[in-house]
Amino acid sequence: MKIYTKTGDQGLTSLIGGTRVPKSSLRIECYGTVDELNSYLGLVRDQEVNVSRRGLLKEIQDRLFTIGASLASDPEKSKMKIPDLHAEDITLLEQEMDRMNEGLPELRVFILPGGHQSVSFAHVARCVCRRAERLVIQLREDSFVADLVVMYLNRLSDFLFVLSRQMAHELQAEEVKWEPRM
């Protein structure tokens, strides 16, 4: 099977369900950003500090593929059965955040991304997640998007923030405090 099909050479692509849309459409931007997030999450997963979390991070990547499939489907025309999210997927993120937070110092100030390259990767993933969430919310204004998709992306960005703090803690890296000028 060839990877290239040439069907997108005119700037159009097909959604699941067969609908052809411009590659610049908001729906394509949404699932493209989720794909970008998934790539950054792979980079976070591959950090040595996350050896014990690789299974969890892969599960999150699997859920992002589920979200991508949902967003790549034409909600009006697709008859294809695609995987879906469950409330338990969000609960898992919440439980993992609670578990990590138990061992972290109380957060009393804003922190800046950085302190260690691995931590910075988690912050980049968090920012891409927030962008994906904003785009999906915009898409939802005009087209069906499952509520769990928005909820998952919202919770995932929170998870990535807590994960960045946990990674900094485990790496004994400084949490860079924001010290605003007055």
Side-chain angles (χ1 to χ4, degrees):
M1 176 178 140
K2 290 185 179 183
I3 294 296
Y4 60 92
T5 63
K6 301 182 184 180
T7 60
D9 289 351
Q10 300 305 310
L12 298 175
T13 192
S14 293
L15 298 176
I16 297 172
T19 304
R20 301 281 294 166
V21 297
K23 290 184 176 186
S24 61
S25 81
L26 181 56
R27 184 168 290 280
I28 305 305
E29 186 68 26
C30 285
Y31 73 76
T33 304
V34 169
D35 187 38
E36 180 183 356
L37 169 59
N38 208 336
S39 296
Y40 275 112
L41 205 56
L43 183 61
V44 171
R45 188 192 72 223
D46 289 343
Q47 300 305 300
E48 192 64 32
V49 68
N50 287 321
V51 166
S52 66
R53 286 182 283 270
R54 284 196 177 136
L56 170 64
L57 293 170
K58 183 190 177 293
E59 184 172 341
I60 293 169
Q61 287 186 285
D62 288 345
R63 296 300 79 76
L64 289 174
F65 247 77
T66 296
I67 289 171
S70 172
L71 294 170
S73 298
D74 182 336
E76 308 294 322
K77 294 185 180 174
S78 179
K79 306 283 189 237
M80 187 175 180
K81 175 101 171 100
I82 58 169
D84 57 354
L85 291 175
H86 301 280
E88 296 81 27
D89 298 322
I90 295 166
T91 302
L92 175 65
L93 294 175
E94 292 170 345
Q95 290 170 341
E96 289 297 322
M97 280 187 282
D98 291 344
R99 188 187 57 71
M100 287 187 286
N101 264 328
E102 287 176 3
L104 292 174
E106 184 179 341
L107 187 61
R108 296 177 183 256
V109 297
F110 287 106
I111 60 170
L112 300 174
H116 190 282
Q117 184 177 21
S118 295
V119 174
S120 295
F121 290 147
H123 280 289
V124 171
R126 174 187 55 80
C127 292
V128 174
C129 188
R130 285 283 190 217
R131 178 165 30 99
E133 179 188 11
R134 290 189 303 270
L135 290 168
V136 167
I137 289 168
Q138 184 181 356
L139 178 64
R140 186 172 66 173
E141 293 173 6
D142 297 320
S143 184
F144 175 79
V145 174
D147 290 341
L148 285 176
V149 169
V150 175
M151 292 169 62
Y152 191 85
L153 291 172
N154 181 267
R155 212 67 86 250
L156 180 56
S157 63
D158 295 336
F159 169 85
L160 289 168
F161 177 75
V162 176
L163 177 62
S164 71
R165 294 195 70 220
Q166 180 67 33
M167 291 167 63
H169 181 73
E170 291 171 5
L171 291 164
Q172 298 178 349
E174 174 190 10
E175 280 193 314
V176 183
K177 295 177 177 82
W178 178 51
E179 298 174 10
R181 287 187 301 191
M182 297 295 187

